[in-house]
Every structure is written in C-alpha cells, then in structure tokens.
Amino acid sequence: MGTIRESELPGIGKKYQVETDAGDKIVIVIHDDGRREIYHFEKDDPDETISHVTLEDDEARQIASIIGGMTYKPKALDSIQVSLEELVIEWCKVEPSFKCINKTIAELEVRQRTGATILAIVEKGQQKINPGPDDQLRANMTLVMAGERKQIKQLKELLLHG
Amino acid sequence: MDHIIFEVGTALLLVAIASLIAAKLKFSIIPFLMVLGMLVGPHAPIIGIFDFTFIESQEVISFLGRIGVLFLLFYIGLEFSVSKLVKSGRNIVFGGTTYVVLNFVIGLAYGFLVKFPLYETLIIAGMLSVSSTAIVAKVLVDLRRTGNSETELILGMILFDDLFLAVFLSVMSGLLLGGATSVGGILLSVGISMGYMLLFFVIARTATPLLNKLFNIKSNEILIIVVFSLLFFIAGFSEKLHVAEAIGALLFGLALSETVHSKRIEHLVVPFRDFFGAVFFFSFGLSIDPLTLGDAAWIAIGAVLLTILANMIAGMIAGRNADLSHKASTNIGLTVMARGEFTIIVANLGIAAGLMPMLKPFSALYVLILAILGPLLAKESKLIYSGLNKIFKWSKPKEKAQSES
C-alpha cells in the first residue's frame, strides 16, 4: 500500500496525494463545489502532469465503487484472503508508521486483546512460521494473521496504534 | 425618479454581458468589469431611452459595490481560520513572510523614489503587497494546477497575505480615518483599531463554543437574516470606531471561521459575494475618468515591473526553501502576481481619506495590467521557465535530471 498525504487547499477544497507501490504519483482534489479532479504525474518529473480527469460528484461516486471492487471482485484476490466459514486468514504489511514496531508479540498481548493469531512473519529473505511471544515486529514485515473477521480487524487496529 | 430600477437594471445587464464575454474568453471577470465601468460612466453616450452615464443611479450602484466589498472580505474572513494558520507549516510561514516583506519594502522604496508623501507611500506599498485571492484561486483551478506540488504553498502564502491585509488595513484606517493630528492621537487611534482586531482574534479562538450555540439555527432563511444583519451592523459599527468597514466585515468572518457553521454560512454567502463583488468592480470602473489614466501611466507601469520582479524573487525564495523544484518555484511567483480586489480596497481607503487623487487612476491601471498580465504569465509559465533556465542554468537536459537535486 502506498502513502497518502492529505492537505487542505483553502478556498478550493481538499487534496490527496497518493504514491503507489508501482511508483505512480496521483493527486486527487475534491473541490468544495463537489467536483473531483484526478491528476497523474510523470515519473521522472513530479512537476509535469501526464493527464487529468474531471468528474462530477455522481460520476466520482460511481467510479469509486468500480475501483473499490463493489461491482466485481477480481478472482486473483481470493488467494490472499481465505474464508472458511467464520475463520479468515489475511496478510498485512507493517508500515513504518505503525505503532507496533519494535514491540514483541507478548508485549502487544495479541491473543489476549484481539483473539487473533499471528501465523507467520515474512521478512525480506526470511520467513518464520508460528512465531513465539518474544518475536519482535519490525517495519516492512508482512504478517499472516488468522482469526474471525472482527478479531482480525482488532489486530489491525492494534498494529496501527500499539 | 422611477427610472432608478431601469438604470440599475441596464447597468447590471452590461455587467452580465461583460461576465459572459469574460467566461467565453476563459478570463477573470475583474478586468472586464473595470474596463466596462470606465467606458460607460460620465462620458458615455445617451442612446434613446438608454442612458449609459448612470449619473442618477451612480449612488445606488456604488452602494451595491460597497456591499460587494463587505461580502468579499467577510468570505475571506470565513475561509481564513486562525487554527489553519497556527497549523500551517514552517515553509508557509517563511514563504508568506518573505512575500509580504519583500513586496512591502519595494513598495515603500518606490513610493519614496517617485516622491510621494508618507501616507500615499504607505498606501502604495500596501497596494503592491496584496495579491488577489480571487484571481489566484481561479487561475489555479482554470489552469488545472490544483494538484501541483506548489499549490499548498501558494494558497498558504495567500492566506498570509490576507492576514497582512487585515493588519495593514486596520493600522492604516486608524492612521487615516481617525483624523488625529498629534502623535499621541495617532497612536491612540491606531491602538484602538489594533485592539479591535485583536478582540476578534480572541473571540475566534476562545468563544467558539458560544458562537456554535448562537448560530445553531436550522432554517437557512433565518440564519441568512441573522448573519447578514450582524455583518452590516458590525461593519457599520467599525466605521464609527474609525476602523474601515471592510475590516469589520473581515473580522466578523474571522470570528465565525472556527465555528461548526462556517461551511454552511460560506455556502450561503458565495452567491452574494459573486454578485455584489461583480458590481464592486464595475462601480470602481465607473468612478474612473479614462482621461486621467494618462497622468498615472508611467508610475503604474513602473510599479507593475517592480511587482513582477518582486513576485518572481519571493516565489523563488519561498519555493526553494520548501524544497520545490525551480520550475514549481517559478510557478509560485507567476501565480501570486495577479492583483485585484484587495489592491482596489487599499486604494479606496486612501481615496476615502482624501489622499492624492492620483491614487485612483494609478490603482486602476496597476490592477488592470496585473489582473490581465498575471493570469497570462501564469499560463505561459513553461515558456518563462525554460527562458529563465537558459539564463540561470538550473537544470540540465532531461536525461541528467536525476543527478540534479
């Protein structure tokens, strides 16, 4: 997941700058009058726009639902999230901004506070299946988590806010 | 007597036509309405029942224009939240301060250079320092630059400029409208207007919960009556304290800016601001005799050149300080260069105080040139950047752009 920067444009609206993992820079501006604008910037020159799209409020909502996968969910994603009745297995990357960084699983009280389990920790070049309570979480790790949907949600909150 | 509605109606019709033409040409309506006002006015022909001199209705039109000023500044106050300013980053504070100081100092130097008296020099320096929020925002939206990296900085600098305008207008109205002649008297009237302003800042910061409750009015009809009546009352009351009425309107907006209702009030005000604002530019044009423009031409052109230079330098300093590229920094200077409503408001304060009559044609020409030139230069920023790049050699050809930091 790329970084999103939110800023205020007084008199115009709000601006969201997104840098995707693929290296694309996109800026979305929501005007106070409801219009949306999307800009796509050149990779090697962040001052030059390649293209821009202007959307009315209703168009923006419709397109958001298409991008959000509400109308059609790609099959490839099924392998990332396996759902067995109530049990869900999900992947989550630890971003550098997360509060859980440098804490051990025991310190975070993962089981006691959320009920979910961390099945595996995947890091660049190495992976650990069934980590113990003393394993520390570091930035850019990917965690494989199992639990009920609600528990997974709580665990994600825990990772984010510590 | 009964012609009055017809006359005002004719004037508004002309305003509407000028606005339509401006929109067709994708241009700010400000210069169009000013020129229109200058063309009709006392020298215009009378064709049948159409009297384009608007002598009978001048009072009404200029009153509507005055209302326009109140709405323009009330809106600025609403948009300008103190907490936004407190939160604004170091770059914005630095950029905004550089911008205002550089322009003001150059304005002062210019005033002394052309041997204007002290008050006139101060007014000129103020006129040169205040960018046009309306034109800048329009340019950013029209040129589709809202997504650019320099946009936050530009808008932040404009916010700073608005704060400067508030302080400047209240000091100057204390100086000029107070009518004091002794040093003590002048200090007292400046003190009153500064204190008056501080009072509103404090209200905006501390009395927000109370205002939230007071303006918690469900009906739009009643909210609009309450807000507008207070707006006029406070503006008028400010005048009684020898604080310019425009400042009263701005401060009232400021007081409401932190409330939960600010967005809703903004929404209600926008159509009034747009309509009466248009009449304001037209009525300013009406008050100018085109034949007097010649006297002020050279001084105005000099001021324009200085403004272009000062804005480019300030934009470059602000942009580079915020780690923006030279290209983005060029955009800053070119975008904030436009002058419009606020410059006229500053000039009007000087005119109301009975300063040199030259101020009027000077401000008209100065604003007219920069309201047209500013957006044009912003539009051609790529060309200007590559021209400047040839002189200053900021960045090498594209394939080496990576090594340039």
Side-chain angles (χ1 to χ4, degrees):
Chain A
M1 187 55 208
T3 51
I4 300 179
R5 246 186 52 212
E6 184 186 325
S7 54
E8 195 89 40
L9 299 180
I12 293 178
K14 240 181 168 133
K15 172 175 167 182
Y16 298 86
Q17 183 172 321
V18 187
E19 262 156 59
T20 65
D21 285 341
D24 284 309
K25 181 180 157 194
I26 307 170
V27 171
I28 299 162
V29 176
I30 304 188
H31 290 254
D32 283 336
D33 61 12
R35 249 177 325 139
R36 320 282 207 278
E37 278 183 301
I38 308 175
Y39 297 91
H40 185 195
F41 285 83
E42 255 178 71
K43 277 189 188 177
D44 50 356
D45 186 357
D47 292 329
E48 276 307 309
T49 50
I50 302 172
S51 66
H52 55 76
V53 180
T54 306
L55 302 169
E56 294 303 321
D57 184 59
D58 53 340
E59 294 167 331
R61 284 165 195 279
Q62 202 164 9
I63 287 167
S65 76
I66 295 172
I67 296 178
M70 271 162 246
T71 47
Y72 170 74
K73 190 156 173 123
K75 291 219 165 55
L77 287 183
D78 286 351
S79 58
I80 297 216
Q81 192 189 77
V82 185
S83 180
L84 303 164
E85 301 283 319
E86 284 301 309
L87 177 70
V88 178
I89 298 174
E90 233 186 284
W91 276 236
C92 174
K93 194 171 169 205
V94 179
E95 298 290 349
S97 60
F98 283 17
K99 292 269 161 55
C100 66
I101 286 170
N102 293 332
K103 285 187 182 162
T104 63
I105 292 177
E107 275 171 7
L108 285 169
E109 299 181 320
V110 170
R111 277 297 270 288
Q112 294 89 319
R113 287 172 65 183
T114 69
T117 310
I118 297 177
L119 293 181
I121 295 175
V122 185
E123 241 182 314
K124 226 183 186 169
Q126 57 172 345
Q127 59 186 49
K128 187 163 186 181
I129 295 167
N130 203 7
D134 297 324
D135 279 313
Q136 222 179 34
L137 301 184
R138 283 185 295 271
N140 298 321
M141 279 179 163
T142 300
L143 308 181
V144 184
M145 315 172 293
E148 286 175 25
R149 209 172 281 280
K150 208 174 77 200
Q151 296 170 335
I152 296 272
K153 207 178 145 207
Q154 281 173 342
L155 178 53
K156 280 185 181 166
E157 288 275 281
L158 180 65
L159 294 175
L160 188 61
H161 301 298
Chain B
M1 162 65 212
D2 277 339
H3 289 306
I4 202 91
I5 290 288
F6 181 61
E7 270 206 27
V8 174
T10 314
L12 290 176
L13 201 63
L14 289 175
V15 167
I17 292 168
S19 308
L20 281 170
I21 294 173
K24 257 269 177 303
L25 299 173
K26 282 191 163 288
F27 220 81
S28 164
I29 61 171
I30 294 174
F32 280 84
L33 293 176
M34 280 171 60
V35 172
L36 174 72
M38 282 187 225
L39 289 180
V40 296
H43 311 274
I46 297 169
I47 307 165
I49 53 164
F50 291 98
D51 180 354
F52 289 119
T53 57
F54 301 114
I55 289 170
E56 227 177 297
S57 54
Q58 177 128 32
E59 249 172 72
V60 179
I61 292 171
S62 74
F63 181 71
L64 295 179
R66 252 169 96 179
I67 295 177
V69 174
L70 297 189
F71 280 120
L72 274 169
L73 282 159
F74 178 58
Y75 182 82
I76 291 292
L78 271 177
E79 265 290 319
F80 180 99
S81 98
V82 181
S83 69
K84 261 185 214 162
L85 195 73
V86 172
K87 270 190 293 184
S88 69
R90 201 187 56 84
N91 289 334
I92 289 178
V93 176
F94 176 85
T97 316
T98 309
Y99 182 76
V100 167
V101 170
L102 189 66
N103 277 290
F104 193 71
V105 168
I106 285 188
L108 279 183
Y110 188 61
F112 286 126
L113 192 77
V114 296
K115 298 204 172 64
F116 276 6
L118 177 66
Y119 283 164
E120 278 82 352
T121 300
L122 282 171
I123 287 284
I124 293 240
M127 285 167 61
L128 262 61
S129 312
V130 286
S131 182
S132 163
T133 305
I135 299 182
V136 170
K138 187 170 165 46
V139 164
L140 284 173
V141 173
D142 285 355
L143 295 180
R144 299 180 182 277
R145 296 240 173 104
T146 48
N148 284 18
S149 48
E150 73 272 9
T151 303
E152 285 99 330
L153 186 55
I154 291 178
L155 290 169
M157 283 166 69
I158 295 282
L159 208 64
F160 241 80
D161 205 29
D162 293 342
L163 174 72
F164 166 77
L165 175 78
V167 177
F168 177 80
L169 274 184
S170 65
V171 172
M172 286 309 286
S173 60
L175 266 181
L176 295 173
L177 304 179
T181 42
S182 65
V183 177
I186 288 173
L187 284 180
L188 182 70
S189 56
V190 171
I192 288 174
S193 50
M194 288 296 283
Y196 189 62
M197 198 174 79
L198 273 177
L199 175 77
F200 277 89
F201 270 98
V202 171
I203 291 174
R205 283 301 271 176
T206 56
T208 311
L210 180 70
L211 290 171
N212 275 342
K213 215 177 275 169
L214 274 175
F215 286 90
N216 191 11
I217 300 167
K218 286 236 162 51
S219 147
N220 272 350
E221 182 190 6
I222 295 172
L223 180 69
I224 220 169
I225 296 173
V226 171
V227 170
F228 284 15
S229 57
L230 280 172
L231 170 62
F232 278 71
F233 180 79
I234 291 175
F237 178 71
S238 308
E239 187 89 273
K240 284 268 165 260
L241 285 181
H242 302 302
V243 176
E245 56 188 26
I247 281 295
L250 181 103
L251 293 174
F252 179 49
L254 207 74
L256 295 182
S257 65
E258 303 285 333
T259 65
V260 289
H261 311 296
S262 65
K263 281 279 162 210
R264 191 167 149 227
I265 297 172
E266 243 178 77
H267 236 81
L268 292 175
V269 169
V270 165
F272 290 88
R273 177 202 65 174
D274 291 346
F275 176 74
F276 289 105
V279 179
F280 163 62
F281 294 115
F282 175 69
S283 77
F284 180 70
L286 269 188
S287 70
I288 286 161
D289 179 355
L291 298 176
T292 61
L293 290 181
D295 310 338
W298 287 111
I299 295 184
I301 289 170
V304 166
L305 291 176
L306 279 178
T307 304
I308 292 175
L309 191 70
N311 277 268
M312 291 302 290
I313 295 172
M316 197 49 77
I317 294 174
R320 293 302 288 162
N321 174 65
D323 288 329
L324 293 172
S325 67
H326 285 103
K327 198 187 219 169
S329 308
T330 316
N331 276 344
I332 298 176
L334 291 172
T335 311
V336 292
M337 197 178 285
R339 294 289 181 270
E341 66 278 24
F342 298 139
T343 301
I344 300 178
I345 289 170
V346 171
N348 272 345
L349 177 66
I351 294 159
L355 299 184
M356 276 165 71
M358 163 89 104
L359 280 178
K360 203 155 215 175
F362 170 79
S363 59
L365 268 180
Y366 177 72
V367 168
L368 211 52
I369 297 174
L370 280 172
I372 295 171
L373 203 59
L376 280 181
L377 289 176
K379 198 173 169 190
E380 298 304 333
S381 62
K382 234 180 229 176
L383 217 69
I384 294 166
Y385 168 72
S386 63
L388 289 173
N389 198 15
K390 275 194 193 112
I391 304 170
F392 294 105
K393 309 251 182 295
W394 284 319
S395 72
K396 288 136 204 132
K398 217 173 180 182
E399 55 272 17
K400 285 185 187 167
Q402 293 288 334
S403 59
E404 245 286 51
S405 60

